[in-house]
Amino acid sequence: MSLSAVLLAAAASPSPSPSGTSTPAVPSLQDAQESATNAASWVEQNWSTWLAIGLRVLLILVIAAVLRVVVRRAITKLIDRMNRTVQAVDGTALGGLLVNVERRRQRSQAIGSVLRSVASFIIMGTAALMILGTFEINLAPLLASAGVAGVAIGFGARNLVTDFLSGVFMILEDQYGVGDTVDAGVASGEVIEVGLRVTKLRGDNGEIWYVRNGEVKRIGNLSQGWATAGVDVTVRADEDLDKVKGTIDDVAERMSKDEPWNELLWGPIEVLGLDNVLLDSMVVRVSAKTMPGKALTVERELRWRIKRAFDAAQIPIVGGPVVLTDATPDTDPTAGMSAPSAYANTSSPQAQAATPITPPSVTK
């Protein structure tokens, strides 16, 4: 072996450290070149796969974004078209109330917000699953876990889901809105807030009722369409019906021309006829179609005017049927008592006869 070979072998062998252990060899330039060559070869072999994956992810994101924008705009146009739809009763006082601009605007905003949120969740969720599938991630365990979690959450929060779905359909069908007076069965009052889960009602005494939408089985809306004011007038059975009807007609004509009753009355005040006939009284039924929520106000004013008109026409108003009772003579309070016994008097013959005989005394 030549000297140069020995020197090269000594240079290549690790030199011992002071502690007796050998230090790692410094990588040579050739090793670095080999590592760089291997890395470049690996990148050259896989860059097409990375580029394909990146382009696929980018394409999914672009399609999802475009589809989301298109769907949201379509929903917005649909809601605007619903707002511009003119109902058959448009142009009348009834139609003006039913197609209230502010109410329809609030309703359309709520419906549009719900639909847009649902569409965005479905589109972006589907895009996320497709991106995970692009990276060759096994989605079966994820979907199975999500299904089990969804079933568990569905059982645990079924009342919440019921309330939410009921609120969505309530808004879609426009069953009631803010400012309406409704009877929800469990509570009644004026609607002060409408939510997807809870509806707030202001009761007659000022209390606030929180009614869950899923608990409402039926709704009676007193603020849509029109209301009916009904007044029963009880007069004597021998009263002149033509006079009674003429007096009520005069009251109805004057009330229909006075303000603000001419705006609250949506139809003529009519005398429907006799509602009930008794031996000493009869009931005349008066009815009128009014603005929603104003029936009680019209009824009070109508009673007031009818009473004053009847007093001026000397037509007495009776309070209702009189209950007749059979007159019975006063009875003796002692009739139910038994006769006194003869033995109660110690001096009577019966008491003397019943007295035991005392034996004669014996003398010695």
Side-chain angles (χ1 to χ4, degrees):
M1 181 179 294
S2 62
L3 180 60
S4 60
V6 173
L7 292 176
L8 289 175
S13 62
S15 59
S17 62
S19 59
T21 60
S22 61
T23 58
V26 178
S28 62
L29 181 60
Q30 185 179 0
D31 295 336
Q33 291 179 352
E34 291 180 357
S35 300
T37 303
N38 294 334
S41 176
W42 184 80
V43 170
E44 183 179 1
Q45 293 176 358
N46 295 278
W47 74 271
S48 58
T49 304
W50 291 353
L51 182 60
I53 293 175
L55 292 177
R56 191 177 302 174
V57 170
L58 181 61
L59 181 62
I60 292 174
L61 292 177
V62 170
I63 293 176
V66 173
L67 183 61
R68 179 173 176 268
V69 172
V70 172
V71 172
R72 289 173 67 91
R73 288 186 178 180
I75 292 174
T76 302
K77 290 184 179 180
L78 177 62
I79 297 302
D80 293 340
R81 182 174 298 179
M82 290 175 57
N83 289 337
R84 292 193 301 265
T85 301
V86 180
Q87 299 185 5
V89 292
D90 192 15
T92 63
L94 178 61
L97 182 67
L98 290 177
V99 197
N100 184 270
V101 177
E102 181 64 20
R103 173 172 176 154
R104 291 176 66 85
R105 185 186 66 81
Q106 294 180 0
R107 174 171 168 258
S108 62
Q109 285 182 353
I111 296 174
S113 177
V114 172
L115 294 180
R116 283 190 291 267
S117 299
V118 172
S120 298
F121 176 78
I122 294 176
I123 293 173
M124 300 311 295
T126 304
L129 293 178
M130 293 177 65
I131 291 174
L132 293 178
T134 303
F135 287 102
E136 298 182 357
I137 298 177
N138 189 7
L139 299 180
L142 179 62
L143 295 178
S145 301
V148 173
V151 172
I153 294 175
F155 277 108
R158 58 184 181 274
N159 292 332
L160 181 62
V161 175
T162 302
D163 297 339
F164 181 82
L165 293 178
S166 300
V168 170
F169 282 105
M170 179 271 298
I171 294 177
L172 289 174
E173 297 171 0
D174 193 21
Q175 297 177 5
Y176 53 85
V178 176
D180 291 351
T181 301
V182 300
D183 181 4
V186 294
S188 60
E190 181 182 355
V191 180
I192 60 177
E193 184 177 343
V194 178
L196 292 177
R197 193 182 69 88
V198 176
T199 298
K200 293 182 182 180
L201 302 178
R202 174 78 67 178
D204 296 335
N205 297 325
E207 69 276 10
I208 296 179
W209 298 100
Y210 294 86
V211 181
R212 290 169 45 194
N213 296 328
E215 296 295 330
V216 178
K217 303 302 179 183
R218 51 100 174 162
I219 285 289
N221 196 325
L222 306 179
S223 299
Q224 286 185 353
W226 44 267
T228 302
V231 175
D232 293 333
V233 182
T234 306
V235 297
R236 295 180 304 184
D238 57 351
E239 199 66 49
D240 187 1
L241 290 177
D242 294 334
K243 182 179 180 181
V244 172
K245 186 177 184 302
T247 304
I248 296 177
D249 289 340
D250 293 339
V251 172
E253 184 179 358
R254 290 194 301 268
M255 185 174 176
S256 300
K257 297 179 180 179
D258 295 342
E259 293 186 0
W261 311 109
N262 54 354
E263 297 180 358
L264 300 182
L265 290 171
W266 285 7
I269 301 176
E270 300 178 347
V271 180
L272 301 182
L274 292 178
D275 192 64
N276 197 0
V277 178
L278 301 175
L279 293 177
D280 60 342
S281 64
M282 55 185 177
V283 179
V284 180
R285 182 72 173 177
V286 183
S287 177
K289 185 180 294 185
T290 69
M291 181 183 294
K294 302 298 181 180
L296 293 178
T297 304
V298 174
E299 288 178 1
R300 295 188 183 101
E301 181 66 18
L302 189 57
R303 291 191 188 98
W304 182 283
R305 293 180 178 236
I306 290 176
K307 178 62 172 64
R308 294 180 62 180
F310 276 22
D311 291 343
Q314 297 182 355
I315 301 176
I317 298 178
V318 298
V322 180
V323 180
L324 300 177
T325 57
D326 296 335
T328 55
D330 296 337
T331 57
D332 186 5
T334 62
M337 300 175 60
S338 60
S341 175
Y343 294 98
N345 188 4
T346 56
S347 60
S348 63
Q350 292 83 356
Q352 293 292 336
T355 302
I357 302 175
T358 57
S361 60
V362 181
T363 60
K364 292 183 180 180

